[in-house]
Structures are given as structure tokens and as C-alpha cells.
Amino acid sequence: MRASRLPPADSPARPSERASVTVREVAQAAGVSMITVSRAINTPQQVSPATLDKVTAAIQALGYVPNLMAGSLRLSRSNLVMVLVPSIAGSLFGGMLTELTRSLEAKGYQLMVGQSGYDSPREDALLRAIIGRRPDGIVLTGVMHSPQGRQLLKASGIPIVETWDTTDSPIDMLLSLSHDAIGAAVSHYLRDAGKTRQAVLTGDDHRARLRAESLVRAAVESGLPEPLVHYMPAPTTHAQGREGLRALQRAGQGIDAVFCSSDLMAAGVLTEAAAQGLDVPRQLAVVGFGDMDIAASMAPSITSVHVDGAAIGAQAAEMIGLRVNGQRPAQSVVEIGFRIVTRESA
């Protein structure tokens, strides 16, 4: 599927219209002076417990994050962009990071990478640390679901690009990818290949769950038996692919196709299938996700869902560059699309 553009979402404010929450606003909300707010942040032992409680409550309500760079030689910009990825293991996000780095360097920015993991509390804590250093832009892998995280990002005034997922309410800018559409497309692909007893072997992260649930719905709507789904902790591994195939087989229902939430897991399924003497794809078709290098080099090679990570990186860099300079991208929401790359495994 080729990338296409969606109609603009509700127009996010320009940088000047998304001013960050200030110490003055915190002071007004808490009913204290700005000096008292500063002391509560920097030397809390000099503030009474009651006053500290009021300032803390105001900070949390407004989503204020102290500017850790305020006392440095920083002028109007940091020339720094932060990107959050759930994991740096494997190379699913490698194409995005490589192109994001190259495109930002061409614009005079440096990229810093944070590993957020797959749980919201850790992501929120990392966001606080990042916002406190006031980067010129933040790129998120996925969309922000945590109410606290959304509040922090909105209050920061920093240009934000959410990627690799979709939402009806982006914080600022969005490179949209529909995991519902991916799951349905894979089910239809397998159905058209004559695979009627489909299964899903997936990590337990949000985006992988969306793909799994969508494949199940699409299969049932096509009149096929309800696919089996086996969840495993993210990030997924080759070993989980081997273990996961055995778990699906133990469920007692014959399966003839498996959609895996990563190519690494799909490689593990192929390894286990070979150990069992299964004929791929006649007895078992295997589809991965990410179209990593391993997908083409495996024997048999892995049919996989390709997402253009390099295009995501280039587009995110362009959006950040425009917003930092007070301009807006032609589209604040852009659909990046995907395609299924057919190889030997399905």
C-alpha cells in the first residue's frame, strides 16, 4: 500500500500558541510567590510542608516541568531533538533512527535516543527528564496514551511528532500507521492463499495487540474459525518464536498459518517448524512484521509487513524543522502506509 495523506486534523497550535507553562502560572495556581516556587523546586527543605504541598499540587495539575537548562549558556534553542523508542534491541526502528539522525544533522540538530520500554509509568518518568532539558522537538514511537504523559507534552510547548500508530486526538503532529488495517490485511492475504486456520503469535505491547485483535476480527468476518492468539512479553525474541509455536500446537486446534508480531519471532517459528519437519508454507505459512534484514536472508525467506521507517524519520525531521522555525507542515497528520512483502514463507 502506498503512503497517502489524510485530511488535516484539528489544527494544532503554532509554537508561539503552545507556550510552555511558566513559574508565574504555578505561583498563581498555588497562591505563592515565584521565589517560593523556585525554592520549593530547588531547595524544598527551606519551604514549609504546607506550602510545599500547595506548590507540588499546582505543578502536577499544570503539567509543569522545571527548565533544567535555564541557568546554562543556552540561548533560544538547544539544537537537540529527542526520540523515544520502546526498545533498541533488534532493528525494527533502525531505519527510522538512521534517517532521523541524517535528516536532523542536515538541519543542524543532534538526535538523542531514549528507551522507554513498554509501560506508561517508565515512559512518563523519561518524558519528565527529557522535557526538563528543553529539546527543540520530541519524536515518539507510538501515540501517547497516558493522561499524565499527554499533559506533560501539551504543557511543554515543544513540537511533538507521534509515529508508528494512529489516534483521533494527536498531541501535535502525527505520522499515522493503522495497526487495525495491518491485521486485517494479513488475514485476508492468508485467506486468499488458502489458509483457513490462522493463528497469531504476538508480543503483549499495545500496537501488537491491535494487529492481533484485528486479524481475529477479519478472519471471523470472513467465515473462518476464530484464530488462536498467544501473547508473550515484549520485546519478542527468536526463542519466543520457537516456544510460541509449540504453545499454539498444544492448544489442540490444528493451525496452518501464523502471523508473528516481529520478524525475529517469525524466524523462531521457522526454526521450530524445521525442527519438526513441517513443510513451509504448505503445512504452515508464516508472516512476520517489520521487514527486517533477517526476513530476506532466512531460508525460507520470511513474508513480512513492510513499514517505511526511513520515510518516517525523514518526515518527522521535516515536521520538527518547520515547527521550530514557526512554520507549519502542509499536513499535521500524514498516513505512512504499509505493504506485505511476499517471500517463501507464505
Side-chain angles (χ1 to χ4, degrees):
M1 298 186 181
R2 295 181 61 83
S4 60
R5 295 183 179 272
L6 295 176
D10 292 341
S11 298
R14 298 172 186 264
S16 60
E17 297 169 342
R18 297 183 67 246
S20 60
V21 176
T22 65
V23 172
R24 184 183 299 277
E25 291 174 275
V26 174
Q28 291 174 344
V32 300
S33 69
M34 289 190 290
I35 291 177
T36 299
V37 173
S38 179
R39 286 173 178 164
I41 293 170
N42 298 307
T43 56
Q45 68 276 10
Q46 296 181 9
V47 180
S48 70
T51 299
L52 185 59
D53 287 344
K54 287 194 295 183
V55 173
T56 300
I59 287 173
Q60 293 178 344
L62 295 173
Y64 176 73
V65 177
N67 186 350
L68 303 180
M69 300 295 289
S72 73
L73 297 177
R74 178 182 184 270
L75 298 176
S76 59
R77 296 180 184 175
S78 65
N79 294 322
L80 176 70
V81 173
M82 298 292 303
V83 59
L84 269 66
V85 294
S87 174
I88 57 176
S91 60
L92 177 58
F93 305 112
M96 177 185 73
L97 293 175
T98 298
E99 184 57 34
L100 191 56
T101 300
R102 189 198 67 79
S103 297
L104 287 171
E105 284 183 347
K107 299 176 186 297
Y109 297 96
Q110 295 298 316
L111 181 70
M112 291 190 69
V113 181
Q115 182 172 279
S116 60
Y118 288 94
D119 58 285
S120 293
R122 180 177 178 183
E123 189 171 51
D124 289 347
L126 184 56
L127 279 177
R128 283 189 174 276
I130 289 172
I131 293 170
R133 286 159 177 80
R134 291 299 190 270
D136 289 331
I138 299 175
V139 179
L140 302 176
T141 302
V143 299
M144 180 55 60
H145 296 281
S146 159
Q148 184 181 41
R150 288 180 63 85
Q151 173 68 7
L152 289 172
L153 290 169
K154 286 183 176 181
S156 73
I158 298 170
I160 309 294
V161 182
E162 295 168 283
T163 67
W164 287 87
D165 204 346
T166 191
T167 177
D168 293 330
S169 55
I171 294 169
D172 187 1
M173 298 171 285
L174 173 67
L175 295 175
S176 176
L177 175 65
S178 172
H179 293 273
D180 283 342
I182 290 172
V186 171
S187 180
H188 295 157
Y189 176 91
L190 292 171
R191 177 201 63 193
D192 293 346
K195 302 302 181 180
T196 60
R197 301 186 306 281
Q198 301 171 12
V200 185
L201 184 57
T202 178
D204 58 1
D205 61 282
H206 171 73
R207 292 180 293 279
R209 283 181 177 274
L210 288 177
R211 297 193 295 270
E213 292 164 1
S214 178
L215 181 141
V216 170
R217 285 195 303 272
V220 172
E221 290 170 359
S222 295
L224 303 179
E226 181 173 339
L228 294 171
V229 180
H230 184 71
Y231 291 100
M232 306 192 84
T236 54
T237 66
H238 180 276
Q240 286 177 329
R242 298 198 66 173
E243 177 187 344
L245 177 58
R246 293 193 297 266
L248 288 170
Q249 292 169 329
R250 286 195 299 269
Q253 302 179 31
I255 58 173
D256 58 12
V258 181
F259 177 35
C260 301
S261 62
S262 72
D263 288 337
L264 198 56
M265 181 178 273
V269 169
L270 289 179
T271 299
E272 181 62 27
Q276 296 182 18
L278 297 177
D279 185 329
V280 174
R282 186 180 65 82
Q283 291 178 289
L284 182 71
V286 181
V287 177
F289 176 81
D291 196 22
M292 297 162 59
D293 290 343
I294 192 175
S297 63
M298 282 288 295
S301 56
I302 301 172
T303 294
S304 184
V305 178
H306 176 83
V307 178
D308 193 343
I312 295 174
Q315 184 69 55
E318 182 67 19
M319 286 175 154
I320 293 289
L322 288 170
R323 287 294 310 282
V324 169
N325 289 294
Q327 303 174 52
R328 320 170 62 74
Q331 299 278 345
S332 295
V333 178
V334 177
E335 184 178 351
I336 58 176
F338 65 92
R339 58 190 173 91
I340 298 175
V341 179
T342 300
R343 296 194 179 94
E344 297 168 340
S345 69

